[in-house]
Amino acid sequence: MKRAINNWKFVIIACLTLGLAPYIPEPHFLGKVRWVMGGGVGMKFMDWFDLIYHGLPWFLLVRLIFVKIKEAAAKRRVQAISEEGLAEKS
């Protein structure tokens, strides 16, 4: 499972299918978000569950972006430290 949620292809396909379905007349997730932004008046448990269900792929996408940015920053930090060490030895 950990490999799947860190896989760009899996997360993007999940966003395009589960995250947007049904597509007509508007993506379901966007309709639920608009409803919540409007105060969520009249939302029942099933509506909240539906929001979480269709929102999970988008959450995974945002999470994956943050993870990749954090990994890149750590890699740059390690690279800068190693370059400083080489410069001091020279």
Side-chain angles (χ1 to χ4, degrees), residues 9-67:
K9 289 179 186 176
F10 174 79
V11 173
I12 290 173
I13 289 171
C15 285
L16 294 176
T17 55
L18 179 62
L20 292 176
Y23 305 100
I24 310 255
E26 70 174 356
H28 198 58
F29 178 68
L30 294 178
K32 295 292 182 184
V33 169
R34 285 188 188 142
W35 197 359
V36 170
M37 297 299 280
V41 177
M43 286 186 78
K44 295 183 171 93
F45 174 77
M46 188 62 180
D47 297 315
W48 287 105
F49 175 78
D50 205 29
L51 175 67
I52 293 168
Y53 182 72
H54 288 283
L56 181 63
W58 298 105
F59 171 77
L60 291 176
L61 180 64
V62 170
R63 179 201 156 276
L64 185 58
I65 290 169
F66 281 124
V67 166

